[in-house]
Amino acid sequence: MNSIYSRFVIFGIVALSLFSSCISEPSRWDDINEEGAFLVFRRQSSIGEETYSITSTKDSIIVKSLQGENERGRITGVVSELRLSKDLIPFYYNNQRIANDDTTNILKVERSADKISVWEKDFDVVTKEITTDYFPLHSNIPAGIEIMLYHYYFEHGEKNIPTLPRGEVSITHTGKDTINIKGGEIVLDRYVTEGINWGGRTVWLDESKNLIALVKANTQIREMIRKGYEEALPTFIAGNVTEQIDQLSDYTEALKGPDYPVIALVGGDILDGLSEHIKKDMILIIEDGRIKEIGKKGVIKIPEGAKIIDVKGKTLMPGLWDMHAHSNQVQWAPAYLAGGVTTIRDNGNELEFATAFRDAITKDGAMGPDILLAGMTDGPGIRGNGVIRARSVEEAKKVVELYHKNGYKQIKIYSSVESEIVPVLSDEAHKRGMTVTGHVPRAIGNAKIAIEGGMDMLSHRSLILSILFPDVDKIAQSRLYLGNHDVSQERIDKAIKFLLKHKTVLDPTVALEVVRYLPKGTPGEVVEPDIGRIAYELFEGKRFRSGVSPERAESAKADYTKGMEILGQFYKAGIPIVAGTDNIVPVFGLYLEIETYQKLGGLTPLEAIKTATIIPAKAMGMDSETGTLEIGKEADIAILEKNPLEDITNLRTVSAVITNGNYYESEPLWKAADFKPNRP
């Protein structure tokens, strides 16, 4: 009896076990109804909020996101929807940008059976067969959608994720951070995610793999922080700086060759940056990072033990300067060097990152261009830019002292600074040996008043040329005004006299206008032939520039063409003009700026080159150290395949660069920066 009973019990247990195994485990995604929000920061200043919801039906998960921003007075929104199966396989995604009552479809991906269709802004619809799972994303994917990317990653074996429209995402665990939220400690896992935006983003997840925060940059830094965690912003800022500098260390280890006390460049043609005359078949000796000798082959003796580099047939010229950079990620280091840029003025950045980036190169020997820092400050209100504000006399003094103690060369004044604060910032900066650059503030509205208030340098062509109309109130608030006002030679001559008297340096960033005012639908390649070479994640973001109507494009072109003719007169009169990009396209935007100076400003190739070599060196008080190829100066050298005096576009043929005593060939640098060779 006991035996029979035992058998029934055993049978029951086995049957129950088998029955249970046939029932799928409950999914965390069953009956989910989650809502949340992320706060959006730009340069640590709150500019918006993104709300999201995650709900489920019987067989799918639906994620919706609505992001609204007021970024310096520009109000935009993004609405997104993602649909996935219960095992997190996406089958539908749609992202639309809403601005000024206009809806722009950024990306739509739809899967049915074994086919998938992709609608991507500025591209034709593509439908193709698909044999693998994927995750749809783009460089500006909302945080509410990105939540599911990480759940997908962990539930599908922690492998690289194929993505659409292209590429793949890698996710690497790099450490843990403990944050304090409302007096309690929370441990978060820190990751670096690559394949979404150029260079990657730093991401924090909680123990349930929920996205808590991310810091990203596509030439500007943004922070997305889950609501309720904003008090940990300093931890997220510091963590991103750590990851960035670690990546720069990796670049340096991989690309920086052995130190050579003496380098001999043999057989090259030398464009010294001062003379139109090219010296042929020369030898240039570098010792301890400085130019020791320059002379003809057969006359100059190459020191024993020197590293000899054959540059026969190539042109050696001074390394280029970008005087309006916003280098918010370390990928700028290999990219700049690859393009022959050896010095940049970072013209507004997050203090923590910019300082660490500069110090890693200057103090720790990391690879990269020399970085000079201009510390940005703005005034009150929602139209202000960044977290560092000068809203009172006392705040202005503290801002200058903050930047000065961190080794900044300049104060950058932005658009919302009040008129009475400009002289305070200028005076405090000048007391400390710093100079002042930036925008003509809206409250002032005219370059003449800004210069009289103590500003030493001005940025942006339309703001600069308000100097022509000192009798017109706040003309700088309108970008395109030259066509509506009489620009007599008398006005131009008066402006020249005033600018020479005040020794004002001008940073027109006109290439930004050339690109911004393309007719709607015009490929960027029309004005920037190398735009397709850059890292695709960055190319994608830049390709989303909307363009303007044909009428607007025509009037804008007439305006900046006329402006460049006037700036050409300024240059010829001796007013310092420097080349800067404001980040149109990394590196190549600098070439476009220089080319535009020649094409529209009437400068000779050498004059145009000087705007990116000796003139910025003088403007920053460094012309005794760099800016030309002369004995005793730092060996900042770009090595070109072709002579740029014959054709200014030959600046694009940089094949190698020397800076800080190191020699780098361009192609490995482009590859490190994820720039692709010869992309159509």
Side-chain angles (χ1 to χ4, degrees):
M1 191 74 171
N2 289 336
S3 175
I4 294 173
Y5 176 77
S6 298
R7 289 177 184 176
F8 271 110
V9 171
I10 294 170
F11 176 79
I13 292 172
V14 172
L16 182 61
S17 175
L18 291 172
F19 178 74
S20 298
S21 68
C22 293
I23 301 174
S24 61
E25 290 288 327
S27 168
R28 68 173 290 184
W29 306 108
D30 290 336
D31 302 318
I32 189 169
N33 188 11
E34 176 184 327
E35 292 183 347
F38 286 85
L39 301 178
V40 184
F41 297 82
R42 182 180 187 268
R43 292 178 179 152
Q44 304 177 26
S45 178
S46 178
I47 62 167
E49 182 172 321
E50 177 189 338
T51 57
Y52 74 89
S53 66
I54 306 174
T55 58
S56 62
T57 65
K58 180 181 177 181
D59 55 6
S60 65
I61 304 163
I62 301 170
V63 186
K64 294 184 178 181
S65 165
L66 177 61
Q67 182 175 318
E69 294 183 3
N70 187 337
E71 200 267 293
R72 290 176 290 168
R74 295 193 291 263
I75 299 173
T76 60
V78 176
V79 60
S80 304
E81 181 175 337
L82 173 68
R83 301 176 197 164
L84 314 94
S85 65
K86 284 296 183 67
D87 55 355
L88 304 188
I89 305 300
F91 59 85
Y92 175 85
Y93 176 64
N94 193 16
N95 177 279
Q96 296 178 312
R97 178 172 292 278
I98 304 166
N100 300 323
D101 299 321
D102 177 48
T103 300
T104 302
N105 293 307
I106 302 299
L107 178 65
K108 181 180 177 182
V109 178
E110 193 166 18
R111 179 175 182 170
S112 58
D114 60 348
K115 290 189 177 181
I116 192 160
S117 296
V118 178
W119 292 258
E120 187 179 6
K121 184 178 182 292
D122 295 327
F123 292 91
D124 294 331
V125 178
V126 175
T127 299
K128 60 182 179 181
E129 292 185 358
I130 188 165
T131 58
T132 187
D133 296 326
Y134 67 91
F135 202 96
L137 57 75
H138 48 102
S139 60
N140 291 315
I141 182 173
I145 304 298
E146 192 171 339
I147 288 172
M148 303 308 296
L149 174 70
Y150 300 106
H151 288 303
Y152 179 102
Y153 174 74
F154 289 105
E155 294 191 22
H156 285 263
E158 301 184 32
K159 301 174 182 177
N160 286 5
I161 303 171
T163 62
L164 283 173
R166 64 198 57 77
E168 68 175 19
V169 161
S170 67
I171 301 170
T172 305
H173 185 263
T174 58
K176 292 180 179 290
D177 291 299
T178 301
I179 60 174
N180 243 291
I181 302 296
K182 296 179 181 178
E185 289 190 345
I186 300 174
V187 178
L188 301 178
D189 285 291
R190 190 200 311 162
Y191 296 83
V192 171
T193 300
E194 296 183 272
I196 302 178
N197 56 279
W198 181 39
R201 57 181 69 197
T202 309
V203 175
W204 286 263
L205 307 181
D206 67 12
E207 62 181 3
S208 299
K209 310 305 182 188
N210 293 311
L211 177 62
I212 301 300
L214 64 88
V215 182
K216 61 179 179 176
N218 252 9
T219 69
Q220 64 176 340
I221 296 179
R222 286 188 179 228
E223 299 89 10
M224 306 284 290
I225 301 176
R226 186 179 288 267
K227 202 168 187 177
Y229 289 82
E230 55 268 28
E231 64 183 293
L233 177 61
T235 300
F236 302 137
I237 297 299
N240 180 64
V241 170
T242 296
E243 297 301 341
Q244 288 283 314
I245 300 306
D246 284 352
Q247 190 159 21
L248 182 60
S249 296
D250 292 341
Y251 288 146
T252 303
E253 185 177 348
L255 297 167
K256 192 174 181 180
D259 290 330
Y260 298 107
V262 181
I263 297 174
L265 302 176
V266 179
D269 302 334
I270 292 181
L271 165 61
D272 61 17
L274 293 171
S275 169
E276 296 272 4
H277 176 64
I278 296 285
K279 300 171 184 175
K280 296 283 188 177
D281 199 16
M282 303 291 285
I283 292 179
L284 188 149
I285 306 294
I286 301 166
E287 187 173 312
D288 295 328
R290 290 188 175 269
I291 299 173
K292 182 74 171 178
E293 291 185 88
I294 301 174
K296 292 289 292 182
K297 282 180 69 175
V299 176
I300 294 292
K301 183 179 180 181
I302 298 175
E304 191 173 339
K307 168 66 176 177
I308 298 174
I309 300 173
D310 184 1
V311 289
K312 185 172 178 59
K314 299 182 180 182
T315 298
L316 312 183
M317 63 167 283
L320 297 170
W321 287 56
D322 184 346
M323 280 288 281
H324 200 123
H326 294 287
S327 53
N328 300 314
Q329 54 199 101
V330 296
Q331 285 68 36
W332 285 101
Y336 268 131
L337 294 185
V341 179
T342 57
T343 309
I344 66 170
R345 176 183 63 167
D346 191 293
N347 213 18
N349 205 329
E350 290 196 0
L351 184 145
E352 295 86 351
F353 172 71
T355 305
F357 194 11
R358 176 203 61 193
D359 290 350
I361 295 168
T362 304
K363 297 179 180 179
D364 302 330
M367 61 166 285
D370 292 333
I371 300 176
L372 311 177
L373 297 177
M376 187 171 71
T377 187
D378 209 352
I382 193 65
R383 299 184 76 179
N385 192 351
V387 73
I388 298 177
R389 304 292 179 98
R391 292 161 291 203
S392 66
V393 170
E394 193 57 37
E395 276 192 342
K397 292 179 178 180
K398 289 180 179 179
V399 164
V400 176
E401 181 56 32
L402 171 67
Y403 283 126
H404 180 256
K405 76 177 184 180
N406 280 283
Y408 280 57
K409 299 290 186 184
Q410 294 185 303
I411 298 297
K412 177 180 178 178
I413 290 175
Y414 209 69
S415 301
S416 293
V417 173
E418 299 289 355
S419 55
E420 65 271 16
I421 301 299
V422 171
V424 179
L425 290 167
S426 299
D427 290 345
E428 292 296 316
H430 295 155
K431 287 176 188 176
R432 293 165 175 80
M434 304 169 74
T435 52
V436 180
T437 189
H439 290 202
V440 175
R442 282 185 292 270
I444 290 177
N446 193 280
K448 181 176 185 292
I449 304 171
I451 294 167
E452 289 172 338
M455 294 186 69
D456 306 286
M457 305 183 188
L458 293 178
S459 297
H460 305 307
R461 191 272 311 176
S462 62
L463 302 180
I464 289 167
L465 291 182
S466 63
I467 189 74
L468 297 167
F469 307 100
D471 51 331
V472 180
D473 185 42
K474 297 183 180 179
I475 196 170
Q477 295 182 28
S478 172
R479 276 188 178 152
L480 308 177
Y481 53 77
L482 290 182
N484 300 323
H485 293 82
D486 172 46
V487 188
S488 64
Q489 190 61 46
E490 182 183 5
R491 284 187 182 272
I492 295 171
D493 292 342
K494 283 183 178 179
I496 289 172
K497 184 177 180 180
F498 180 86
L499 291 168
L500 287 173
K501 175 184 175 182
H502 289 270
K503 301 178 181 179
T504 309
V505 178
L506 307 179
D507 163 30
T509 64
V510 70
L512 187 62
E513 295 184 88
V514 174
V515 174
R516 175 181 283 145
Y517 292 116
L518 288 173
K520 192 174 184 65
T522 304
E525 294 88 338
V526 169
V527 294
E528 181 43 70
D530 292 302
I531 195 170
R533 179 170 184 165
I534 69 176
Y536 197 87
E537 297 85 2
L538 184 58
F539 169 87
E540 178 190 63
K542 297 295 182 181
R543 189 68 179 260
F544 288 167
R545 290 181 181 275
S546 59
V548 297
S549 68
E551 296 77 19
R552 177 75 166 169
E554 184 177 355
S555 63
K557 184 175 182 180
D559 198 272
Y560 66 68
T561 298
K562 190 173 185 178
M564 278 309 305
E565 292 170 356
I566 295 167
L567 287 168
Q569 287 195 51
F570 285 4
Y571 182 100
K572 301 287 188 181
I575 295 165
I577 291 178
V578 296
T581 62
D582 205 12
N583 292 349
I584 316 154
V585 177
V587 182
F588 298 114
L590 181 63
Y591 300 151
L592 180 60
E593 183 82 5
I594 296 167
E595 291 162 6
T596 304
Y597 290 170
Q598 186 199 13
K599 180 180 178 182
L600 300 183
L603 276 61
T604 68
L606 179 62
E607 288 172 335
I609 286 169
K610 285 182 177 181
T611 68
T613 52
I614 188 59
I615 295 176
K618 284 182 178 178
M620 300 305 292
M622 297 173 62
D623 52 307
S624 64
E625 293 292 305
T626 187
T628 56
L629 301 187
E630 297 180 84
I631 292 172
K633 286 193 174 184
E634 294 175 0
D636 292 329
I637 303 172
I639 302 173
L640 284 64
E641 294 293 323
K642 298 180 180 179
N643 177 4
L645 295 188
E646 294 176 353
D647 183 345
I648 197 65
T649 64
N650 286 340
L651 284 175
R652 297 170 182 264
T653 68
V654 173
S655 61
V657 66
I658 293 177
T659 189
N660 296 320
N662 293 284
Y663 169 81
Y664 302 93
E665 293 187 353
S666 291
E667 280 307 320
L669 293 165
W670 287 129
K671 184 177 180 181
D674 199 30
F675 280 45
K676 307 298 189 295
N678 305 317
R679 179 188 282 120

